Amino acid sequence: MSAGKTSLLQRAEEPAPVADLIADVPAGTEATSPEKTPEAVAAGPIPSADSYPVDRALHAMLARLTGGISPIALSLAYLDWASHLVAAPQRQMEIAKDAVRDAGLLLQAAAHAPKPDQDPWSVIKPQAQDRRFARPEWESPPFNLLAQAFLLSEQWWHKATTGVRGVAPANEAVVEFSVRQVLDMLAPSNFVATNPEVLQRAFRSGGQNFVFGWQNWWSDFPRMRSANKLAGDGQFAVGKTVAASAGKVVYRNELMELIQYHPTAEKVRPEPVLIVPAWIMKYYILDLSPQNSLVKYLTGEGFTVFAISWRNPGAGDRDVAFDDYRKLGVKAALDAIACIQPRRKVHALGYCLGGTLLSITAAAMARDGDNRLKSITLLAAQTDFTEAGELTLFTNESQVAFLEDMMWERGYLDTTQMAGAFQLLRSNDLIWSRLSHDYLLGERAPPSDLMAWNADATRLPYRMHSEYLRQLFLDNDLAEGRYHVDGRNIALSDIHAPMFVVGTLRDHVAPWRSVYKIHYQVDADVTFLLASGGHNAGIVAPPGEPGHSYQVMTKAADAPYVGRDEWVELAPRVEGSWWPEWTRWLLARSGDLCEPPRMGLGNVDHLPDAPGDYVLT
């Protein structure tokens, strides 16, 4: 099946909707829901007309040259910074003094470099998380002086681009970020002549590292051009080594497949778990290899697990709306589960953008008196986007309009655009360290299941992504009570189901301080857990894997608010995976063990086994 040629609105071959399954349920066993069937119709065309097609085509062409970055937004940010700096002579003098002082310190360090007792990092040392100059080879002159000169330049540019009175904070962040990207590119670790590790490897191997590096680049080049999956990831085959938990697709519509996993325990808890993943990437981040699969862990702990697998949209799906993911996704999944397990409430879990969608769905359900959610778990999911980290640099009005024009031409946001934006947030780790490791040192890091999943990218429909950026990022409608579902406002404060919310310490996509805001948005008991790691590695943290830790504390609905910094001081720290902590929380809100439910309801023999078909598109 080719997602690029199939329109979401024109799928005649799909099986019966949930309404037909409900007809097979015995009388008196319907789920307690005011709406029993999904809205199996996608939203209408995007309201704004395709005006000024020549202008939009020009912007789309420019976007291919700039990597999707609006040159106008960048220019306005630099104009704001430069204009205010020109009008600040005292600030200019301070910046000039810093440059002279740094040059003097570096010259002094160079004069004392031959002395054996000289500290190699006498002027400035790399930060703990900066691994570019961590090897002992960088402690020897002249490479140590080059590294210190570079670090001083980084520090100087940071001071020069920040703290200029009168500059808009958003413009300041854009200037600082873009300068940092240029400096990261110019780091001495990225060049053969200034990297002692590369020179030493070349001397010892007779230059073979460059041969291996060329081979690595040559094998990567076709993939980089076509955005194919990770080179050498054949050992991570979907359905065999990853996304391999046994299960069955029990319902499918135009947008998603609902997978029900086979129980691995004789008895299960009566309340099922529904996993709502983000559609930015494939769902199996939570069902990677057997040793780190959250799905496998949950079924082993006695839970019936359902997971949504989103279809990868193509150009024909340009008018798929954000609300379609609620109607045809979460709502349709809950209706199907209500058929399979009547009168059972659901533990719902949402990850990243799936968590934002789950929050919207939960608020709409609460408004309408639908009480099917027993609990809500949000993993690295934001409901307030005013502090969404460096992703907000890509979401000002100019940038969003530029992205809309780029998507308007194709009908979707391409996988390379999404991957490029996320890589820029961690360019040292994801771009330049790889250049040094793979192409200069000639090494190749062994592929991992997480790397293979990360390369299995998806596209985003034009209308959905535009609505997401404007209503959530730009206007922050959800947090401020302006978000509409079915023509009426929803409010997160209507949510009363207990919540378990996970943030990760080094998250560049959903910063934990932004995730934490859920405390004063909902009227519910909130257990907040801060896990070590980043957006993905902090979530995929199976028990027994070293290096994981977390802090956790519960706030009752009627308890006073605790600020973020105070929370960090008060919340106890625990070594190990956070999964058992969450499982204990779920068990405390679940019923007694019972027989496992049947797999699906009605005739589902024509549907595939897990992981289904959509994950392969």
Side-chain angles (χ1 to χ4, degrees), residues 111-233:
H112 293 85
K115 297 182 179 179
D117 59 342
Q118 174 72 9
D119 180 4
W121 304 104
S122 58
V123 178
I124 187 172
K125 62 174 58 178
Q127 296 182 358
Q129 67 270 22
D130 189 348
R131 294 176 291 183
R132 292 173 294 183
F133 312 115
R135 297 278 299 177
E137 290 89 342
W138 286 100
E139 296 183 359
S140 303
F143 304 105
N144 176 260
L145 292 172
L146 284 172
Q148 289 191 91
F150 173 76
L151 293 173
L152 285 172
S153 298
E154 273 193 327
Q155 185 183 78
W156 184 86
W157 273 108
H158 173 75
K159 291 180 179 178
T161 55
T162 58
V164 179
R165 185 173 174 80
V167 179
N171 289 333
E172 178 183 274
V174 168
V175 172
E176 194 275 335
F177 178 81
S178 58
V179 168
R180 177 155 38 94
Q181 297 303 312
V182 174
L183 290 173
D184 286 345
M185 180 177 62
L186 298 176
S189 55
N190 298 336
F191 301 94
V192 173
T194 54
N195 189 324
E197 299 176 63
V198 174
L199 293 174
Q200 190 176 87
R201 180 68 57 86
F203 178 77
R204 291 178 177 176
S205 67
Q208 285 188 357
N209 57 307
F210 299 129
V211 176
F212 295 146
W214 169 257
Q215 292 173 345
N216 290 341
W217 181 88
W218 186 251
S219 65
D220 288 345
F221 181 68
R223 180 186 60 81
M224 290 187 288
R225 291 192 61 187
S226 61
N228 287 331
K229 294 183 181 180
L230 182 69
D233 71 341

Side-chain angles (χ1 to χ4, degrees), residues 17 35 65 67 95 116 137 148 154 189 201 256-257 265 285 352 373 406 465 477 486 568 576 600:
E35 299 176 285
L65 300 175
I95 293 172
E137 290 89 342
Q148 289 191 91
E154 273 193 327
S189 55
R201 180 68 57 86
M256 68 90 176
E257 290 178 330
I285 178 65
C352 187
L373 296 183
M406 181 177 63
H465 198 49
D477 286 345
D486 293 332
V568 171

Side-chain angles (χ1 to χ4, degrees), residues 410-421:
R410 295 175 173 173
Y412 57 83
L413 185 68
D414 193 21
T415 58
T416 55
Q417 296 300 137
M418 286 298 302

Side-chain angles (χ1 to χ4, degrees), residues 337-399:
I337 293 171
C339 298
I340 298 168
Q341 294 187 262
R343 296 191 299 271
R344 301 296 193 192
K345 291 190 175 185
V346 177
H347 294 302
L349 176 152
Y351 183 18
C352 187
L353 181 54
T356 305
L357 179 68
L358 177 59
S359 302
I360 292 171
T361 306
M365 292 172 67
R367 179 199 65 186
D368 298 336
D370 187 341
N371 63 348
R372 283 180 288 173
L373 296 183
K374 182 73 172 181
S375 72
I376 301 168
T377 298
L378 303 180
L379 307 182
Q382 298 178 93
T383 49
D384 184 303
F385 291 83
T386 53
E387 294 183 84
E390 290 179 333
L391 275 178
T392 56
L393 301 176
F394 302 95
T395 49
N396 55 57
E397 181 62 42
S398 174
Q399 182 62 53

Side-chain angles (χ1 to χ4, degrees), residues 425-555:
L425 299 182
R426 297 177 55 207
S427 60
N428 273 337
D429 294 331
L430 300 180
I431 299 177
W432 305 117
S433 65
R434 184 182 173 190
L435 179 147
S436 175
H437 183 270
D438 289 15
Y439 305 145
L440 299 185
L441 290 174
E443 298 179 352
R444 178 73 87 181
S448 67
D449 49 10
L450 194 58
M451 290 170 60
W453 167 83
N454 192 61
D456 194 5
T458 59
R459 296 173 290 273
L460 299 177
Y462 162 55
R463 176 175 178 177
M464 184 287 302
H465 198 49
S466 176
E467 292 174 342
Y468 170 58
L469 291 176
R470 288 194 174 278
Q471 295 180 21
L472 297 176
F473 264 92
L474 273 184
D475 299 335
N476 206 28
D477 286 345
L478 178 60
E480 298 179 12
R482 294 188 299 270
Y483 197 90
H484 285 74
V485 171
D486 293 332
R488 293 187 293 146
N489 284 92
I490 63 168
L492 294 170
S493 58
D494 288 337
I495 298 176
H496 304 300
M499 302 187 72
F500 193 97
V501 181
V502 178
T504 55
L505 192 61
R506 294 187 297 276
D507 198 326
H508 295 266
V509 179
W512 77 265
R513 292 177 180 273
S514 179
V515 174
Y516 187 87
K517 294 182 178 183
I518 195 72
H519 279 87
Y520 54 78
Q521 293 176 315
V522 299
D523 186 15
D525 294 346
V526 176
T527 297
F528 187 80
L529 185 145
L530 179 59
S532 59
H535 187 71
N536 297 323
I539 299 299
V540 183
E545 188 175 80
H548 297 295
S549 63
Y550 62 90
Q551 293 177 263
V552 63
M553 195 163 67
T554 298
K555 173 193 172 297

Side-chain angles (χ1 to χ4, degrees), residues 262-267 293-305 583:
H262 289 293
T264 57
E266 293 184 3
K267 300 282 187 177
S293 167
L294 182 60
V295 168
K296 184 175 184 294
Y297 178 78
L298 285 172
T299 56
E301 293 294 315
F303 289 98
T304 300
V305 179
T583 305

